[in-house]
Amino acid sequence: MHGSSSERPALARGAGQRLLIVAGDSDAAELLSTTLELAGYRIVAVAAAAEGLARLARERFDLVVVDAGLPDVAELGRNRPTLARRPPVLLLIDYESLDRIVPELGLGERDYVTKPLRVADLLARVQVLLRGTGAGPARSGALSYRDLVLDDTLCEARRGPRGLDLTPAEYRLLRHLLVNAHRVLSKEQIGRYVWGDHRGDNAIEQLVSRLRRKVDQETPELIHTRRGFGYWLGRADAEA
C-alpha cells in the first residue's frame, strides 16, 4: 500500500531541544541518537541509569529517553536527584513489560513506546512530551491526515470543522491509526496500545465501530478493515 507523501502525516521535528538517552545497548543508542539528531534534537547518550542520574544532577535536559530493559532503570524512579526542573521521561519497553510499566506512568510526566521502535511513533511521543513542558512551539506537532486533525495539547480531535467527541480509548485508537497511516494494525497491536493488553477481538471490533461512526460521517471514509489482518487509516483510493 502506498499513498502520496502529501497524504501521510509529517514526521514530528524538533527545534534544538536537548535530550538525554539512557540505553545500554550500543546499537540501540546509536540508532536513537542518529534518528533524533536528524529530527532536529541535540543528544547526549549514556549507557547506565546511574550515569544518567549524574548528568541530570549537573545539566539541563528537556526530555529523557530511557530503555526500560536496563537492569538499574528502576533507580531513575526511586533515586532521582533533587532537581529544580524534572524533565519528562519516555520509556522504551517490550510488550510483555506493559502490565508492569503502564500503571506507573504519570500524567504529563511519562509516556512510552514499544519495541521494536517505529520512527514515527518515537518522534510523535517525544514531541508530545516536549509540548507539555513548554519546550518548542505549542501546536506545531498536531497530527493530521487530510481534514482529520488530532491536537495532543488539548486531547481534542476534529474532522474539518466538526469536533469529534471521543472517549480516551477512542482517542488513543485514532492516534495509533493516524501515526501509522496506510499501515495495517492487527487487533493485538491495537489492544496492547489502547489498553496495555489484548482485550479480545469483540472489544476491539466494538471500539473500532464506535470510532468509525464518529470519524466517517463525511466522505471519503478513512478507517478501513483489512479482513483477517486488522485495520488501517487512509484514503482507499490512495493505495497503489
Side-chain angles (χ1 to χ4, degrees):
M1 290 176 293
H2 300 285
S4 67
S5 59
S6 64
E7 290 178 335
R8 294 179 184 269
L11 293 180
R13 291 194 56 82
Q17 297 97 328
R18 199 158 183 260
L19 276 56
L20 174 65
I21 295 174
V22 185
D25 181 85
S26 58
D27 291 338
E30 182 177 359
L31 174 63
L32 287 166
S33 297
T34 301
T35 299
L36 291 168
E37 284 176 348
L38 288 173
Y41 301 101
R42 292 178 295 154
I43 303 301
V44 173
V46 300
E51 188 179 357
L53 287 171
R55 297 296 291 259
L56 284 169
R58 298 194 307 265
E59 305 171 43
R60 182 188 183 279
F61 293 95
D62 296 300
L63 176 72
V64 183
V65 180
V66 180
D67 183 352
L70 282 171
D72 61 345
V73 72
E75 296 302 312
L76 283 175
R78 289 197 297 263
N79 298 320
R80 284 185 180 180
T82 301
L83 302 173
R85 176 181 175 277
R86 293 185 175 185
V89 176
L90 180 65
L91 295 168
L92 314 179
I93 62 179
D94 296 309
Y95 273 136
E96 55 266 27
S97 302
L98 282 169
D99 58 348
R100 177 174 58 86
I101 295 292
V102 173
E104 300 172 2
L105 300 180
L107 293 176
E109 183 182 9
R110 299 188 196 178
D111 204 341
Y112 71 93
V113 291
T114 54
K115 298 185 286 187
L117 298 175
R118 290 178 175 170
V119 170
D121 258 346
L122 172 70
L123 296 181
R125 297 320 302 168
V126 164
Q127 193 169 67
V128 168
L129 284 169
L130 287 172
R131 283 208 306 276
T133 68
R139 296 177 62 89
S140 64
L143 292 168
S144 64
Y145 183 98
R146 299 181 64 85
D147 61 345
L148 176 64
V149 179
L150 266 68
D151 185 345
D152 280 323
T153 305
L154 301 174
C155 291
E156 291 180 349
R158 69 179 187 274
R159 179 136 190 215
R162 180 173 61 86
L164 306 179
D165 184 16
L166 303 181
T167 66
E170 291 165 354
Y171 186 92
R172 283 188 68 79
L173 169 59
L174 183 55
R175 192 185 199 291
H176 200 34
L177 290 168
L178 182 56
V179 168
N180 294 282
H182 291 278
R183 178 183 293 133
V184 176
L185 299 177
S186 70
K187 291 179 180 179
E188 182 178 1
Q189 288 174 313
I190 289 171
R192 291 189 182 280
Y193 184 88
V194 172
W195 295 296
D197 58 20
H198 184 51
R199 293 291 182 91
D201 290 355
N202 189 53
I204 294 167
E205 289 167 3
Q206 290 180 3
L207 179 63
V208 172
S209 178
R210 292 197 303 269
L211 179 63
R212 184 179 273 145
R213 285 197 297 270
K214 294 180 180 182
V215 171
D216 286 339
Q217 294 181 18
E218 296 87 359
T219 57
E221 295 182 350
L222 295 180
I223 299 175
H224 310 279
T225 302
R226 181 73 68 207
R227 193 168 299 279
F229 293 94
Y231 303 95
W232 63 281
L233 182 145
R235 279 190 54 171
D237 58 6
E239 290 187 283

